[in-house]
Amino acid sequence: MTNREIASVFEQVADLLEFEGANPFRIRAYRNGARRIAELTEPIAAIAADSDRDLTDLDGIGKDLADKIATLLETGTLPFYEELKARIPESVLSMLRVPHLGPKKAAILYHTLGIATLDQLKAACEAGAVQQLKGFGKKTQDKILAGIDLAVQSEMRIYWSQAEPIVEELLSRLRQEDYVHQIEVAGSYRRGKETVGDLDFLVEATDADAVMDQFAAYDPSAELIGRGKTKLSIRLACGLQIDVRVVPAESFGAAFQYFTGSKDHNIILRGLAKERGLKINEWGVFQMAPDHAGTAPDSAADAEEPIFDGPEIYLAGRTEKEVYAALDLPCFPPELREAREEFEWAASGKMPQLIELADIRGDLHMHTTASDGTATIEDMIAAAQKRGLEYIAITDHSKRVTMAHGLDSRRLLKQWALIDSINRELDRTLTILKGVECDILEKGGMDLPDHVLAKADWTIASIHYGQNQSRAQITDRIVDALKNPHVDVLAHPTGRLINRRDAYPVDMEAVLQAAAEYGKMLELNAHPSRLDLNDIHCAAAKRLGIPIVINTDAHSTLDLDVMRFGVLQARRAGLTAADVANTRPLSSFRSN
Ligand code: DGT
Ligand code: CA
Ligand code: CA
Ligand code: ZN
């Protein structure tokens, strides 16, 4: 298990204990432990495996937590956590995911109003019953009501990054089996969507039952949703559904194409096939017999057997490339299959050469212990070198962000002097830019004076406060910041946190126009919970010629690895390396 996963188990244990009204010291011990683990800069599994070190040497980790970490690392589960969960109805657990409704408040609602589901909670808020409880009030009730929708969404969809380790593990397990000839993951995961609803696996194998047994064995506490001769659906204990289909070799490519989707992309494809007197479905591409044209079913989605012996002639289906080629189409990168511009690009021969992780040369947003990062500037530099970056910008918070210990002018100038001296000593493979993530103040204007920003190599403007202001106010603040000649880029432009907080109201059209007019860049924040700009906005920025910068906003050395999620989002937007400023060598990046 990763540090993040273990920290999340401890966070949930703390929530459950709090819901049960347990001793506050015990609750705090789990929360502190979770934070400590989340902040570690090396895998906790490595510490556990090292006989010279002991988990209890970490502050905040006592004997009890150390044992539980060991159990989690060895077995992937924690009996104590499972028992806690079993004591509380599942629908009540989903209430704990509502933002602004902590476990304590959930317990009050449960015990006084008997609220045990999100639906009941919503009804009680709408009836005004919640605001009458002691310690709640109208404001809290409104926030809870707004949070319910987010909680419902988040229950259904997980971050792409959370699915990734599950996908990788399943692929590598199944690929070891000699009865498996091919296995791939399709669906929204393959298209690189920021969240995925379920995982869709396709397998070509000599033994379908063995394949399904393997999937079923992956998580012993998974729920079986359905199993047929060649189809299996399970729901993992974490709530994620997995669909598996075993298909014959001559249909593997067709199924891969079909189940990669998107649905809208497939609908267009089917129309194009029909125009040519062809039929396409998950079994292949077929030539229709003349008298059957137009009458054959479009899809045999629920059939478990291929229909090769109809009046149609099988033309293609072994590989995806062959399927598209049968329609004179290129094998679209999966990230582009959203029925946006991909078919036009194919027709005009202008399919973009999508950006890749290897194109990235710099990372221009990261924090150190000077503000709210967990690693020192030296550690961040070493980690960046290890990842082969050519340049980075150190961009700690400015003073307005008091919670993060933001830097005032004096501390910032001192940090920049340090960076100057580091740059002089460093070998030439990495350059450190003197940067800052400067807050856009609630009342408008930048948090640091122009004469300080003028000395920066790289100034990020971002909003952390006043997110409840009106759309006009927030938009004005941003546009104003973009006018500032010292500002280079606007960070995480919408402030959304996927599944946790909606975007603040902002007129993106106006922001994009301002960025174009004043020659500023826009950030695509690679963190899996942010990923804003989203794909639509990135594509709009590209049309206006606004350079995108993909940044990790790293708060630890390990966070530097989230870059790949940002690249995936950029690919969904159809961006090429040329559209992304931090693919350029430093000299041309700076001269821009
Ligand atoms: P998700 O799971 O909600 O994140 O999104 P997807 O795109 O993975 O959707 P899913 O799992 O329901 O289905 C996988 C793919 O199968 C989908 O992208 C396209 C294809 N598909 C599913 N149902 C239909 C359908 O009714 N018509 C067509 N043309 N394709 C479908
Ligand atoms: Ca899916
Ligand atoms: Ca599915
Ligand atoms: Zn930041």
Side-chain angles (χ1 to χ4, degrees):
M1 285 181 104
T2 64
N3 293 4
R4 229 175 267 236
E5 288 168 328
I6 293 175
S8 143
V9 169
F10 285 170
E11 269 301 332
Q12 290 173 53
V13 166
D15 282 352
L16 295 174
L17 288 173
E18 196 169 356
F19 180 84
E20 291 199 326
N23 179 334
F25 290 103
R26 213 164 148 224
I27 298 167
R28 197 165 320 137
Y30 281 101
R31 291 216 197 282
N32 289 341
R35 191 167 331 121
R36 187 72 186 95
I37 294 163
E39 285 174 354
L40 280 179
T41 52
E42 61 186 319
I44 197 160
I47 304 179
D50 185 340
S51 57
D52 291 339
R53 298 164 76 189
D54 201 298
L55 289 171
T56 55
D57 294 343
L58 303 169
D59 357 297
I61 309 287
K63 173 90 180 69
D64 180 50
L65 285 193
D67 286 346
K68 292 196 163 80
I69 294 167
T71 307
L72 279 166
L73 286 172
E74 275 161 35
T75 66
T77 61
L78 186 63
F80 172 63
Y81 172 51
E82 298 303 325
E83 284 159 28
L84 268 174
K85 276 201 293 191
R87 285 208 291 268
I88 300 170
E90 198 164 322
S91 62
V92 174
L93 296 180
S94 63
M95 293 199 339
L96 299 183
R97 281 192 280 269
V98 177
H100 304 293
L101 179 68
K104 249 194 221 133
K105 284 204 165 71
I108 295 174
L109 292 168
Y110 182 58
H111 293 300
T112 59
L113 298 179
I115 293 173
T117 68
L118 287 174
D119 283 347
Q120 290 167 352
L121 179 59
K122 190 164 187 180
C125 286
E126 281 165 356
V130 171
Q131 71 183 56
Q132 283 162 18
L133 294 173
K134 195 165 163 252
F136 281 73
K138 171 94 170 78
K139 244 186 159 163
T140 308
Q141 176 177 284
D142 290 345
K143 280 188 180 170
I144 293 174
L145 196 51
I148 291 173
D149 290 333
L150 273 177
V152 170
Q153 269 174 36
S154 71
E155 236 170 283
M156 285 160 31
R157 307 191 64 83
I158 64 169
Y159 297 159
W160 191 95
S161 63
Q162 291 173 311
E164 186 186 32
I166 301 173
V167 168
E168 291 304 326
E169 170 70 21
L170 281 165
L171 289 178
S172 88
R173 276 195 198 193
L174 271 292
R175 280 184 180 141
Q176 281 164 24
E177 303 296 344
D178 46 14
Y179 50 81
V180 171
H181 292 172
Q182 302 186 69
I183 174 164
E184 297 290 350
V185 61
S188 53
Y189 181 85
R190 182 167 181 236
R191 302 200 310 281
K193 279 197 73 161
E194 53 207 20
T195 62
V196 299
D198 69 6
L199 294 176
D200 305 279
F201 284 91
L202 293 170
V203 194
E204 188 229 323
T206 47
D207 186 345
D209 272 316
V211 169
M212 292 190 283
D213 289 345
Q214 268 288 0
F215 272 95
Y218 168 70
D219 176 358
S221 42
E223 169 200 344
L224 178 67
I225 298 172
R227 178 164 177 163
K229 272 202 291 189
T230 59
K231 287 209 283 193
L232 172 78
S233 286
I234 54 175
R235 187 179 305 285
L236 302 183
C238 66
L240 181 67
Q241 180 173 330
I242 296 188
D243 292 337
V244 183
R245 291 174 186 81
V246 184
V247 299
E250 54 274 23
S251 295
F252 191 85
F256 197 23
Q257 191 290 314
Y258 181 90
F259 290 107
T260 295
S262 66
K263 199 171 160 176
D264 292 336
H265 174 93
N266 286 354
I267 289 171
I268 296 183
L269 201 63
R270 257 197 331 252
L272 292 175
K274 235 176 217 167
E275 283 172 15
R276 300 164 164 245
L278 301 177
K279 187 176 92 177
I280 177 168
N281 61 27
E282 65 270 49
W283 303 110
V285 181
F286 301 87
Q287 176 79 59
M288 308 278 282
D291 52 334
H292 283 77
T295 62
D298 290 327
S299 157
D302 291 320
E304 286 216 19
E305 298 291 337
I307 314 164
F308 291 137
D309 51 359
E312 308 99 0
I313 304 154
Y314 169 89
L315 297 180
R318 284 186 171 269
T319 67
E320 211 175 31
K321 203 167 165 215
E322 154 186 319
V323 167
Y324 279 115
L327 301 167
D328 286 326
L329 287 167
C331 191
F332 297 92
E335 295 92 336
L336 294 181
R337 301 183 195 174
E338 297 290 347
R340 289 185 194 144
E341 292 171 88
E342 71 270 25
F343 287 100
E344 288 160 39
W345 287 332
S348 60
K350 293 206 178 104
M351 194 70 67
Q353 177 72 41
L354 300 182
I355 179 173
E356 290 172 12
L357 182 60
D359 295 325
I360 298 286
R361 293 173 191 256
D363 186 347
L364 296 155
H365 186 164
M366 67 186 68
H367 298 265
T368 73
T369 46
S371 65
D372 58 350
T374 61
T376 60
I377 200 168
E378 289 82 5
D379 289 344
M380 292 306 281
I381 290 169
Q385 280 178 315
K386 213 170 115 193
R387 286 160 179 80
L389 291 170
E390 293 171 27
Y391 52 96
I392 60 173
I394 299 294
T395 56
D396 276 307
H397 289 290
S398 62
K399 62 185 193 301
R400 173 64 188 88
V401 192
T402 43
M403 259 174 47
H405 200 48
L407 280 68
D408 57 17
S409 305
R410 194 186 53 83
R411 285 178 63 211
L412 194 59
L413 291 170
K414 225 174 119 190
Q415 187 190 55
W416 289 346
L418 172 68
I419 292 175
D420 279 335
S421 72
I422 293 175
N423 271 329
R424 276 192 298 271
E425 284 163 27
L426 219 56
D427 62 40
R428 298 227 147 207
T429 56
L430 180 72
T431 302
I432 324 298
L433 300 183
K434 293 174 285 186
V436 61
E437 178 174 13
C438 185
D439 250 59
I440 301 172
L441 298 173
E442 291 99 310
K443 60 177 196 309
M446 303 299 288
D447 188 22
L448 292 168
D450 280 352
H451 68 86
V452 173
L453 296 182
K455 296 199 173 80
D457 295 322
W458 176 248
T459 298
I460 298 175
S462 63
I463 283 195
H464 293 97
Y465 295 92
Q467 302 196 359
N468 293 326
Q469 293 176 356
S470 72
R471 178 177 151 106
Q473 256 175 315
I474 293 181
T475 307
D476 280 353
R477 283 163 68 199
I478 293 177
V479 169
D480 223 42
L482 289 171
K483 273 185 205 158
N484 184 312
H486 304 297
V487 168
D488 296 295
V489 66
L490 175 68
H492 39 76
T494 76
R496 73 152 173 188
L497 292 175
I498 298 170
N499 284 347
R500 284 188 278 151
R501 186 175 74 203
D502 282 329
Y504 39 70
V506 59
D507 180 350
M508 270 315 287
E509 195 67 29
V511 170
L512 289 167
Q513 289 298 343
E517 182 174 347
Y518 303 115
K520 306 298 177 169
M521 304 186 189
L522 292 176
E523 177 184 83
L524 161 49
N525 191 297
H527 196 279
S529 69
R530 288 195 180 270
L531 294 172
D532 65 334
L533 293 182
N534 67 22
D535 46 354
I536 306 272
H537 292 146
C538 281
K542 173 180 175 151
R543 277 193 288 275
L544 291 169
I546 302 166
I548 301 292
V549 187
I550 309 178
N551 287 329
T552 62
D553 196 358
H555 284 69
S556 70
T557 52
L558 290 181
D559 276 354
L560 292 173
D561 294 327
V562 304
M563 185 62 86
R564 66 187 190 284
F565 308 128
V567 171
L568 202 53
Q569 179 87 308
R571 290 172 63 86
R572 288 180 54 76
L575 301 193
T576 65
D579 300 321
V580 175
N582 50 323
T583 62
R584 300 180 199 148
L586 180 61
S587 53
S588 68
F589 175 79
R590 281 188 125 156
S591 64
N592 186 267

